[in-house]
Amino acid sequence: MNKRRIGILLIFTLVFTLMLSACGSSGGESGQASPETESAKQNEGAAGQGEQAPEPAESGEPVKLIFMAPWSKEQVEMRFLEGTREKFPNITIEATGKFANAEEFDELFAQGVVPDIILTTDGFDVLKEKDMLLPLDDLLKERDFDFSRIRPGIMEALRARDPEGLGRLLGIPIEDVAVALHYNKAVFDKFGASYPTDGMTWYEVIDLAATVTGERDGIKYRGLAMSFMSQAMTQLSAHGTDPETGEPRFSKDPAFARFFEMVKRVADIPGNWEPDISYEFTKGEVAMSLGLIANTIPYYSEDLDYDVVSFPTWPDLPGVGPSTLPLTVAISKQSKHIDEALDILQYLLTDEQQMRLTRKDVPSVSSDQSILEQFAADVMTRDMNVKGIYSLQQAKPALYSPFGPDILLYGTNYVGSQVTPFLKSGDDVPTFLRKMDEDYATIVKEKKNKN
């Protein structure tokens, strides 16, 4: 693996240290292990077609943007400077190597350091607390920014997380979080089963998983790993607390019962789940597994004969995928370089830069399907069903509640953290959801006391 790919992988290693609580080998919400000539032809002339890139900053006094993110110099180089250095030669970006949380902000402030741009790995609430929120709608409109260039659903997901409930755009998406269903062709062939296809429902996938679960030649095969299952909850657009009072709604909203019943159905496939099980798709003993494409497609071994299809859907919501929150960069209202920060971020959303990044294996936020389908084209050595990954529309974001809980692939994920305890508890779904209400009521009380 070359230095560039190692650097990209490190990004996800850092960002996903805040992965959902049950991520690991618990068997409940476990996550998967953790991107020229033709490229030049496709990229040539992309900028300027249906877009308006910012004018280059005047080359004068050097400008250094402090970037609050757990990224190294190499990662900032690939994500930002590699594509913008020529256009903005006087702008440099220095990463703090820190996550955007209250403790880290206080530490920087004590040193007299005020971040200009911030990777919001856990929402915008902490920026409100530190008086750093900067609404971007008017600033981008002044620049004639075309909001339709962002993939449908992404802006809605960001606006839904305005901590004041005003639907403002408080950050700029720089990288999508795309999850797909991965399947091992060799396992399916061993069981004589048909491969999964795009557009399958959860129940169709579960039934298929049952046909490829069992023992062959002394090896136990699991039909469906239970990684990233909580993203199915986001497809239902349900919120877990009352936005006004903070009262938990897990036992009251049928969507949560529906989700946990589905999880139980997966676990109840004979041989598919057991306490503390470790699912490892790359070892060839798991037939299907959900995974972040940025962590899988560019890095899985060439010897692994697999492909991907779209995320499973609920039967009554055909064509609706998860409502995922992209990696997002906010600009501090305390920054002295707001224009320069906007220059950089706006330029990174041009077709030219989105193509550059996605071909390296950074999932694009573009609404242009031809760009999305170029994912990892510069690093893949085989044809993959990338088109299928992007065949779904994002679900409507859940109603924002300042009391949470959010369901993120990085950052907090209370619902995901409850999958393994539920399966181990032996409780029926209604009983466990009532326990979740009681448990989360304590969390809400702590939030209220903190404020």
Side-chain angles (χ1 to χ4, degrees):
M1 184 179 294
N2 60 33
K3 291 182 179 179
R4 181 186 69 183
R5 294 182 65 184
I6 292 174
I8 299 171
L9 181 57
L10 283 173
I11 292 172
F12 288 96
T13 302
L14 287 165
V15 172
F16 287 93
T17 57
L18 286 182
M19 283 288 287
L20 39 94
S21 302
C23 183
S25 60
S26 65
E29 263 292 281
S30 62
Q32 295 176 321
S34 18
E36 248 339 290
T37 302
E38 183 63 25
S39 174
K41 289 180 180 178
Q42 294 190 34
N43 290 349
E44 187 177 9
Q49 296 179 0
E51 63 189 285
Q52 184 168 349
E55 291 297 320
E58 293 183 7
S59 297
E61 290 294 322
V63 172
K64 180 170 71 174
L65 298 177
I66 303 299
F67 182 25
M68 192 162 190
W71 291 1
S72 67
K73 291 181 180 179
E74 292 76 18
Q75 292 156 2
V76 172
E77 171 70 27
M78 192 284 293
R79 282 297 199 282
F80 288 87
L81 298 180
E82 184 178 314
T84 60
R85 181 179 290 108
E86 183 176 348
K87 194 169 187 65
F88 307 105
N90 65 316
I91 300 177
T92 58
I93 301 175
E94 179 181 303
T96 64
K98 300 178 182 296
F99 284 100
N101 58 47
E103 294 76 14
E104 299 290 8
F105 273 121
D106 289 342
E107 182 178 322
L108 287 179
F109 294 160
Q111 299 170 8
V113 177
V114 177
D116 299 286
I117 51 180
I118 302 147
L119 184 67
T120 59
T121 51
D122 208 7
F124 299 108
D125 296 83
V126 68
L127 301 186
K128 177 185 177 182
E129 177 186 337
K130 300 300 180 182
D131 193 29
M132 302 179 79
L133 284 179
L134 178 67
L136 298 175
D137 290 279
D138 291 341
L139 291 173
L140 289 173
K141 287 177 182 177
E142 289 173 2
R143 290 166 169 254
D144 296 323
F145 181 76
D146 182 4
F147 290 90
S148 68
R149 20 184 326 94
I150 305 300
R151 193 158 71 89
I154 288 180
M155 287 302 197
E156 291 82 355
L158 287 176
R159 293 183 187 280
R161 286 166 172 82
D162 179 349
E164 296 179 13
L166 301 176
R168 299 169 299 177
L169 182 65
L170 301 172
I172 293 178
I174 59 170
E175 178 178 331
D176 203 4
V177 177
V179 184
L181 182 65
H182 300 59
Y183 66 94
N184 188 320
K185 295 180 180 179
V187 176
F188 278 85
D189 293 343
K190 186 175 289 290
F191 282 82
S194 300
Y195 299 153
T197 57
D198 293 327
M200 294 184 74
T201 68
W202 276 108
Y203 303 117
E204 289 172 334
V205 169
I206 293 170
D207 289 343
L208 182 59
T211 69
V212 287
T213 300
E215 188 171 324
R216 293 289 189 276
D217 303 321
I219 299 174
K220 291 183 179 180
Y221 292 94
R222 319 284 184 173
L224 178 61
M226 300 184 72
S227 52
F228 302 111
M229 293 289 288
S230 61
Q231 295 310 296
M233 189 70 236
T234 73
Q235 292 172 292
L236 300 175
S237 306
H239 55 288
T241 59
D242 184 289
E244 299 297 327
T245 66
E247 180 186 3
R249 305 178 65 255
F250 305 119
S251 65
K252 301 175 180 64
D253 189 331
F256 290 96
R258 189 178 184 189
F259 167 71
F260 279 95
E261 291 286 6
M262 186 269 286
V263 166
K264 188 175 186 302
R265 185 167 169 178
V266 177
D268 283 347
I269 297 173
N272 190 62
W273 180 85
E274 57 191 57
D276 304 315
I277 186 175
S278 177
Y279 295 104
E280 297 188 45
F281 184 76
T282 56
K283 286 190 174 182
E285 299 173 6
V286 175
M288 294 180 286
S289 182
L290 297 166
L292 288 157
I293 63 171
N295 281 7
T296 58
I297 291 177
Y299 303 109
Y300 278 177
S301 169
E302 295 180 10
D303 296 329
L304 185 65
D305 188 14
Y306 79 102
D307 206 340
V308 293
V309 293
S310 61
F311 196 88
T313 62
W314 293 96
D316 56 331
L317 295 170
V320 177
S323 175
T324 56
L325 186 65
L327 292 184
T328 304
V329 173
I331 301 175
S332 170
K333 78 174 187 180
Q334 300 178 25
S335 171
K336 297 179 181 179
H337 305 295
I338 292 174
D339 283 338
E340 289 85 354
L342 280 168
D343 286 341
I344 292 289
L345 296 176
Q346 185 177 351
Y347 186 60
L348 287 174
L349 292 178
T350 63
D351 286 350
E352 176 186 14
Q353 293 303 310
Q354 285 295 292
M355 183 70 82
R356 175 183 72 85
L357 288 166
T358 200
R359 288 184 66 88
K360 286 177 180 288
D361 73 5
V362 178
S364 174
V365 297
S366 174
S367 60
D368 187 334
Q369 192 74 13
S370 67
I371 293 177
L372 300 178
E373 293 174 12
Q374 288 294 312
F375 174 72
D378 288 344
V379 297
M380 280 196 302
T381 58
R382 70 179 86 184
D383 290 331
M384 300 287 290
N385 179 34
V386 175
K387 184 176 182 179
I389 299 171
Y390 292 104
S391 61
L392 304 178
Q393 65 182 30
Q394 284 216 37
K396 178 182 177 181
L399 180 66
Y400 174 79
S401 170
F403 304 102
D406 217 332
I407 303 175
L408 301 176
L409 283 167
Y410 51 91
T412 56
N413 188 341
Y414 178 77
V415 174
S417 75
Q418 297 304 298
V419 169
T420 296
F422 164 62
L423 295 176
K424 289 183 175 181
S425 71
D427 291 336
D428 58 36
V429 171
T431 298
F432 190 81
L433 291 179
R434 286 193 295 271
K435 290 181 178 180
M436 282 179 62
D437 283 344
E438 295 171 2
D439 179 56
Y440 202 78
T442 302
I443 297 175
V444 170
K445 184 177 180 179
E446 292 174 353
K447 287 177 178 286
K448 289 181 177 180
N449 291 337
K450 182 179 179 181
N451 296 331

